[in-house]
Amino acid sequence: MDMLSRCFTASLLLVAIASTAFAQQPASRESLLTGRTASQPVLDAIEVYLDKKEKKIVGGKPAKAGQFPWQVALLVARVPDAYDAHFCGGSVHTERWIVTAAHCVHDTEAADIAIVAGTHRLNAEAPERIAVSRILVHEDYDDETYDNDIALLELEKPLALGDRIRVIPLLGTGDEPATLKPGALLTVSGWGRTQQDGEGTSALQYVDIPFVERKTCNRALAYDGAVTERMICAGVAAGGKDSCQGDSGGPLAANAGSQPRLAGVVSWGEGCAQANKVGVYTRVSQFTGWVSTCTTDTARCKAKHR
Ligand code: 4AZ
């Protein structure tokens, strides 16, 4: 499992971000990595931060305003620039709740993060941030295997739902046969690494990728059994189109009869867009009960509260 390129936890990212201190000039890889006594995970996190600045990979297209009204960005609360502050994605579940990946927030305090909704651009004009009042991490989330990689964020104040901010209902088990069949297209979106080089556009990207059966995804050449029943795979075997670092926690949407449904949450993969190493997503249909309990009856919610 350690071969797999796993997403770095939000806490590591916070350390990395604090370390880089957002100098006016983007710091060079060398200046950040030389002469430091930081631990390897921190150095790795700095690498991830720099790679994000360099903007590469994945074969997507920029989204139009309002195309993904359920997409939100998770931000480090104390970093002023929205693009710099962004560390993961999420989806609007209700006006008060965001669905994201456990690995994005399991080590983080609610006070350290905020979200921004209703925009496809993470720039100075990005709308007002909304503070997170509580993080609920699935109690069976496994930091080693990424099993049960799902979490909920409760917002301090409700989102203004409308054309620009919309909920995306969860895909139910009953919808799976029709929507999750080999070759059926799903759409993943996020502000993570993109194909664009050079100028750091903060434009939301998306890519359509086919669903891949677990059996195929678990072949020796692919993930050799690491994909559990709580995960689904999507991507192209040839490579070239994929989600990547920074997209984690964001939506993999299915069009169940032209009605978008949240089928997956960006979770993990070995590298990005590599042949045979398609993206792995949290299988949302397995968590509809958990989400509904946790968003309505906190006392019965099986989660780590943060
Ligand atoms: C990550 O590290 C990550 N190619 C997210 C998605 C994928 C790989 C890595 C899927 O956040």
Side-chain angles (χ1 to χ4, degrees):
M1 293 302 287
D2 35 85
M3 259 182 61
L4 301 173
S5 157
R6 288 288 159 76
C7 313
F8 294 88
T9 62
S11 61
L12 286 182
L13 211 57
L14 291 174
V15 175
I17 285 163
S19 316
T20 60
F22 293 95
Q24 312 301 66
Q25 297 293 314
S28 73
R29 186 178 298 268
E30 290 66 34
S31 71
L32 283 163
L33 294 178
T34 53
R36 301 186 68 89
T37 52
S39 65
Q40 194 55 47
V42 170
L43 293 176
D44 289 346
I46 292 171
E47 291 271 8
V48 170
Y49 165 78
L50 289 170
D51 284 344
K52 183 175 134 184
K53 300 279 101 171
E54 283 165 14
K55 288 279 184 185
K56 49 185 192 191
I57 40 189
V58 206
K61 295 185 278 217
K64 296 190 174 66
Q67 195 177 353
F68 299 97
W70 50 84
Q71 172 90 49
V72 307
L74 311 194
L75 311 180
V76 179
R78 82 178 105 90
V79 175
D81 178 83
Y83 176 74
D84 288 340
H86 162 258
F87 67 94
C88 266
S91 303
V92 179
H93 182 60
T94 65
E95 63 177 8
R96 280 273 186 188
W97 291 93
I98 302 298
V99 175
T100 188
H103 83 261
C104 285
V105 292
H106 75 116
D107 259 351
T108 311
E109 298 305 319
D112 291 331
I113 65 177
I115 70 122
V116 63
T119 186
H120 63 304
R121 290 218 181 91
L122 291 182
N123 57 19
E125 288 100 63
E128 185 199 354
R129 296 177 185 204
I130 300 177
V132 170
S133 52
R134 196 152 47 131
I135 303 174
L136 304 178
V137 176
H138 197 286
E139 70 165 4
D140 297 323
Y141 165 61
D142 186 327
D143 198 20
E144 298 281 306
T145 62
Y146 276 29
D147 209 7
N148 304 294
D149 191 9
I150 192 162
L152 287 162
L153 310 179
E154 189 177 17
L155 303 177
E156 220 158 81
K157 60 179 204 186
L159 294 166
L161 299 179
D163 281 349
R164 286 297 161 99
I165 306 179
R166 241 187 276 175
V167 304
I168 180 166
L170 309 181
L171 188 75
T173 321
D175 304 318
E176 281 195 338
T179 47
L180 303 185
K181 43 189 181 193
L185 286 181
L186 305 170
T187 307
V188 63
S189 47
W191 290 274
R193 296 181 179 190
T194 77
Q195 216 170 29
Q196 278 157 276
D197 211 351
E199 291 305 288
T201 166
S202 50
L204 181 66
Q205 303 283 309
Y206 73 98
V207 68
D208 293 330
I209 44 175
F211 173 78
V212 174
E213 279 183 301
R214 187 168 303 104
K215 197 173 67 196
T216 311
C217 207
N218 266 329
R219 284 180 185 158
L221 252 185
Y223 292 124
D224 201 17
V227 179
T228 73
E229 294 283 332
R230 272 82 47 204
M231 303 172 187
I232 56 173
C233 295
V236 276
K241 291 182 177 184
D242 199 2
S243 53
C244 200
Q245 265 115 25
D247 294 322
S248 283
L252 176 72
N255 273 322
S258 84
Q259 257 277 40
R261 288 279 182 276
L262 189 67
V265 174
V266 180
S267 183
W268 62 276
E270 186 174 327
C272 303
Q274 298 194 76
N276 291 313
K277 308 292 183 181
V278 297
V280 187
Y281 299 81
T282 313
R283 185 181 174 191
V284 167
S285 70
Q286 305 306 292
F287 299 99
T288 54
W290 181 80
V291 169
S292 106
T293 302
C294 291
T295 55
T296 55
D297 184 358
T298 316
R300 284 181 46 240
C301 167
K302 295 185 180 355
K304 225 169 52 170
H305 294 226
R306 301 195 59 95

